[in-house]
Amino acid sequence: MTKQTEFANRLVGSSAGIKVSRLCALTIAATLAVGAVNSFGQQPPATQSQKALPATEKKAPAPPAEKTVGNYTMHSNFEVGGVISNYDGSSAMWATMVNEGTGMRILNESLEMHTVNPSKTPFFDTLSTSSFGYGGEPNDVSYLKFSKGKLYDFSGGFRRDRNYYDYNLMPNSLLSTATPATPVLVPQPSSLHIFNTVRRNTDLLVTLFPVSRFSFRAGYNLNVHEGPTYSTVHYAGDVQVLEMFQNTGQTYIGGVDVKLAKRTTLSYDQFYGFYKGDSTFQLAPTPFTLSNGTPVSLGVDVLTGPTVTCGTGANKTQNVINGIANPYCSGTIVSSSISPIRTSFPTEQMRFSSHYWDKVSFNGRFLYSGGTYNVNNFNQTFNGLNTRTFIRQEIQTGGMANGRLATNKRANSVADFGMVADLNRHFSISDSFVFRDLRTSGFSIMNTEAWTGKATTSMLTPLSSITPTTTQATNGLFLDQKNIGNTVLGVVTINQAFKFSGGWRFNNRNIVDGNLDEGVADDLTWHQNGLLLGAVVQPSHVFRINVNYDTLNSKSANSQTPSNTYTREAPNVLYHIRARGLVTPAKWINFAVTVNDFQAKNTDPLVNHQEHNQDFSFAAQVIPTETLSFDFNFARDDIFSRTDICYAFIPNVNAPLPAGAVNAGACTATNSPDGDPSYYLGNGYYDAPVTYFAGAVSWAPSKYFNFNGGARFTDTSGAAELLNPLMVPGALQSKVVSPFSDLVIHIAPQWAWHGNWVHHGYDESGGPGPAAREFHGDVVTLGVRYAF
């Protein structure tokens, strides 16, 4: 059995079968009185395809009249059907990008209930619920809302998302068996970090007396993210591990609102967040064994063959012969980790807003959060052989009570205040002040028990023949960060056609970090300032344009802060221009144009960072008749960056030194770790121009038919600095094509047939072997809709 098959079996075996969401059960209970149908489903194969929905539906038949049942008027919609999918090409990429399989579906369900006599409906006056995706979709959702006059409001939601990922270029071991003249990438059938995870999110919120002087809120959120994944660990070779991924977050919410005066509200909120990280990993299945039959991994970046050897002296032989690994190689027999994480974040928040005076409004907030973070029962075990250090086995455990590895404390204070004053009909001024204070400290103790052998040690050497040594390492670090900022903005309204704004913003950022044990700290401070300009021009109802321009400059505050930014990639100079124009030459024609230009750089001579994000978008909607409309969208986006970087590279016959590589500038032997001359200067070049097009037509020739069809097209023609000659551009040079159509046939006042077709096509270019990741497929959805 291959590891991919086992991986799939782990998933399907644990999750296939009939599933009913908790909130869906709530929904069903609320809708049984009107004959709602229960929803059930089976496990999807693996990301939601985009269903093409009509952009507009002109001259659709009027919805059926609402029915009255008891003391409620009701309207309901229910659609059931199935999906037929078919594709050719890469199944891994189909599952990663589309993830749509064949099967029955509950496509949509909704219900609305409104009281006709509140005195005779004691439990709720209004109720609405909707759900979709059950029966096999990667994404299924349910919403439920109901309320009773001035007594309460309730809202709840449940969402389930399955995310499958298997893109074999990220990551990739980049192995080659070719000659220097013809470097060829060894095929990697699956990504080393393949995963198939599920996220379930539940939200509940109830508000008591929502329009009274005093109102109360209580809520709960549960977010569970789990599933099997593969990953890699760098020890005795980069070995692949199978991770049982499981993260759970819970948040409890309580609050009260007090209406102090006219248009003035004071609110108090209490949040309690709790996070559990229970992910563990173990060595993934490997095709190799030792001579005694013990499974062993030599790492994902190791080739096999008659010319590949390991060991020294008489023990230097081919690394693998007939599936049996040389025990004197670096190899891993056991790689496991258990590190449960527990984090709690109690948070208090006070808010106020007031528009008591007509020309002045205020709002503000103060928040304090004090959290703890603990890594409990920590244990990481390695068994095998690391030929660099001759370690035969190493076990690392937490050195605190009950095996705890680390404990952290975090305190976060936030204060915001905003004011807007309309001084007269031509001029207004606003001010926004922000304060952020983050303080965190952590302490860890790790015990390491190591069985260290010698040059003659192999993976078959009994551990009983080696005397282990135990060491303990302690570490204490702290980080304090403060941000104080203010933005002042004035707005001048000349008349209805012209409005201009201008302002200034500044932010002071201070970071103090260091070692608790040594009492040494870095005290770094930066000043950030920027200009804000804006204009709105609307000479007539036909034309309107908005323009915004802002800048930001960051500088070190003193000689103790040697650089103008905290990180190398962060820009110290930037400007941002945004413009949007709307043209409506006739009631049935609309045009919109947007331009976005973001430019930034870091002028540090050892960084030389540049980046930009430039976008031009155009949209048009033409509605010549009530039964016909056209939509057109075009966008051109270009994301670019470059930064001087140092990278390590040791040339060999299969991977010669990249063209233009030099040991100079920021990457001289003096600046490199340990004076290593094998570090070279790169530019980190990345440029990803993307062209997007979408067009659709909506046609309703009669009350019986609604048709919508069109296509979406995305073309990425990017490039990047590829430091390894075996790398290929992959998705940086790719095309996605997706034509679609949607048809609704009303066969009776309350019944309709619904058909939807989407074609998915993905192609790569610009490198060897892209066809292995290409696919083309069709998804057809057929349904029957009933509404009353």
Side-chain angles (χ1 to χ4, degrees), residues 342-403:
R342 298 295 182 267
T343 304
S344 62
F345 283 103
T347 302
E348 297 177 282
Q349 177 178 264
M350 184 74 73
R351 296 174 293 134
F352 79 91
S353 64
S354 177
H355 197 189
Y356 185 85
W357 297 281
D358 292 340
K359 294 187 176 183
V360 182
S361 61
F362 303 91
N363 63 78
R365 176 183 67 146
F366 176 77
L367 178 148
Y368 176 79
S369 175
T372 60
Y373 171 96
N374 295 290
V375 182
N376 300 323
N377 305 319
F378 177 80
N379 183 293
Q380 281 194 351
T381 299
F382 163 77
N383 182 285
L385 180 65
N386 187 336
T387 57
R388 183 174 59 85
T389 60
F390 301 116
I391 288 180
R392 174 68 177 82
Q393 179 170 277
E394 185 175 80
I395 301 176
Q396 295 178 323
T397 57
M400 300 181 185
N402 301 319

Side-chain angles (χ1 to χ4, degrees), residues 698-768:
S698 182
W699 183 44
S702 72
K703 66 179 182 180
Y704 298 106
F705 296 93
N706 293 94
F707 172 80
N708 178 258
R712 293 179 289 264
F713 174 77
T714 302
D715 182 15
T716 304
S717 55
E721 182 183 34
L722 304 179
L723 300 178
N724 191 311
L726 303 178
M727 297 175 67
V728 296
L732 270 176
Q733 295 185 8
S734 61
K735 294 178 176 60
V736 177
V737 181
S738 183
F740 62 88
S741 63
D742 190 273
L743 176 65
V744 178
I745 302 176
H746 301 274
I747 57 177
Q750 295 177 318
W751 292 88
W753 289 338
H754 181 202
N756 182 282
W757 166 77
V758 182
H759 175 81
H760 299 277
Y762 175 76
D763 300 278
E764 290 183 6
S765 60

Side-chain angles (χ1 to χ4, degrees), residues 608-674:
N608 294 315
H609 174 74
Q610 299 178 28
E611 65 176 274
H612 70 236
N613 186 347
Q614 298 171 325
D615 176 82
F616 171 81
S617 303
F618 172 79
Q621 185 180 55
V622 180
I623 311 175
T625 68
E626 292 185 357
T627 62
L628 184 65
S629 67
F630 301 92
D631 291 276
F632 176 84
N633 296 274
F634 171 84
R636 173 71 175 182
D637 187 73
D638 183 20
I639 299 175
F640 165 85
S641 70
R642 70 156 318 276
T643 309
D644 284 357
I645 60 172
C646 294
Y647 63 96
F649 197 94
I650 300 177
N652 59 64
V653 294
N654 291 326
L657 188 68
V662 293
N663 186 251
C667 299
T668 61
T670 303
N671 296 331
S672 300
D674 303 320

Side-chain angles (χ1 to χ4, degrees), residues 344-678:
S344 62
F345 283 103
T347 302
E348 297 177 282
Q349 177 178 264
M350 184 74 73
R351 296 174 293 134
F352 79 91
S353 64
S354 177
H355 197 189
Y356 185 85
W357 297 281
D358 292 340
K359 294 187 176 183
V360 182
S361 61
F362 303 91
N363 63 78
R365 176 183 67 146
F366 176 77
L367 178 148
Y368 176 79
S369 175
T372 60
Y373 171 96
N374 295 290
V375 182
N376 300 323
N377 305 319
F378 177 80
N379 183 293
Q380 281 194 351
T381 299
F382 163 77
N383 182 285
L385 180 65
N386 187 336
T387 57
R388 183 174 59 85
T389 60
F390 301 116
I391 288 180
R392 174 68 177 82
Q393 179 170 277
E394 185 175 80
I395 301 176
Q396 295 178 323
T397 57
M400 300 181 185
N402 301 319
R404 178 179 296 176
L405 170 68
T407 180
N408 288 3
K409 293 184 178 179
R410 173 188 173 112
N412 187 32
S413 300
V414 176
D416 299 319
F417 176 77
M419 179 196 70
V420 178
D422 297 317
L423 303 182
N424 54 52
R425 65 190 184 92
H426 293 293
F427 186 70
S428 67
I429 189 170
S430 64
D431 183 83
S432 176
F433 172 81
V434 296
F435 172 79
R436 305 283 189 272
D437 185 4
L438 170 66
R439 304 177 302 279
T440 181
S441 61
F443 185 74
S444 66
I445 301 178
M446 178 181 287
N447 294 329
T448 301
E449 189 175 12
W451 284 256
T452 305
K454 48 190 176 181
T456 58
T457 300
S458 76
M459 286 183 279
L460 296 175
T461 301
L463 292 173
S464 58
S465 65
I466 304 174
T467 302
T469 58
T470 301
T471 58
Q472 187 177 83
T474 62
N475 195 7
L477 300 173
F478 67 92
L479 172 69
D480 294 345
Q481 180 174 205
K482 290 184 177 67
N483 280 276
I484 300 175
N486 196 80
T487 301
V488 178
L489 188 69
V491 179
V492 178
T493 303
I494 299 176
N495 52 42
Q496 294 182 350
F498 300 97
K499 181 184 292 186
F500 302 95
S501 62
W504 188 263
R505 61 178 173 178
F506 79 88
N507 181 74
N508 286 350
R509 182 182 186 186
N510 173 253
I511 293 179
V512 180
D513 65 338
N515 194 303
L516 292 171
D517 299 329
E518 300 174 0
V520 178
D522 295 321
D523 193 337
L524 309 173
T525 304
W526 297 268
H527 298 320
Q528 296 175 313
N529 295 271
L531 176 68
L532 303 173
L533 296 174
V536 179
V537 180
Q538 188 172 6
S540 69
H541 69 278
V542 175
F543 176 75
R544 175 188 174 97
I545 184 171
N546 298 57
V547 180
N548 294 93
Y549 172 79
D550 57 89
T551 67
L552 188 66
N553 295 273
S554 177
K555 293 184 178 181
S556 60
N558 48 52
S559 59
Q560 292 180 324
T561 310
S563 63
N564 289 324
T565 58
Y566 182 58
T567 63
R568 287 171 56 92
E569 295 82 3
N572 66 322
V573 178
L574 67 84
Y575 76 82
H576 194 185
I577 300 175
R578 288 154 292 175
R580 176 178 175 85
L582 298 174
V583 182
T584 310
K587 292 183 178 181
W588 52 279
I589 303 178
N590 297 285
F591 298 105
V593 177
T594 60
V595 177
N596 179 82
D597 183 20
F598 176 87
Q599 300 276 350
K601 60 183 179 180
N602 189 319
T603 57
D604 189 317
L606 296 180
V607 176
N608 294 315
H609 174 74
Q610 299 178 28
E611 65 176 274
H612 70 236
N613 186 347
Q614 298 171 325
D615 176 82
F616 171 81
S617 303
F618 172 79
Q621 185 180 55
V622 180
I623 311 175
T625 68
E626 292 185 357
T627 62
L628 184 65
S629 67
F630 301 92
D631 291 276
F632 176 84
N633 296 274
F634 171 84
R636 173 71 175 182
D637 187 73
D638 183 20
I639 299 175
F640 165 85
S641 70
R642 70 156 318 276
T643 309
D644 284 357
I645 60 172
C646 294
Y647 63 96
F649 197 94
I650 300 177
N652 59 64
V653 294
N654 291 326
L657 188 68
V662 293
N663 186 251
C667 299
T668 61
T670 303
N671 296 331
S672 300
D674 303 320
D676 191 342
S678 61

Side-chain angles (χ1 to χ4, degrees), residues 228-283:
T229 74
Y230 280 115
S231 187
T232 50
V233 174
H234 181 66
Y235 199 97
D238 294 298
V239 298
Q240 189 177 39
V241 294
L242 175 62
E243 182 177 8
M244 302 313 297
F245 179 83
Q246 185 176 42
N247 292 330
T248 303
Q250 299 181 74
T251 303
Y252 300 86
I253 304 169
V256 58
D257 297 324
V258 183
K259 285 76 173 178
L260 297 176
K262 180 181 66 174
R263 294 177 294 187
T264 301
T265 302
L266 179 67
S267 302
Y268 173 79
D269 298 285
Q270 179 74 49
F271 307 92
Y272 181 78
F274 182 69
Y275 167 81
K276 296 193 302 181
D278 290 318
S279 300
T280 63
F281 69 73
Q282 63 188 25
L283 187 66

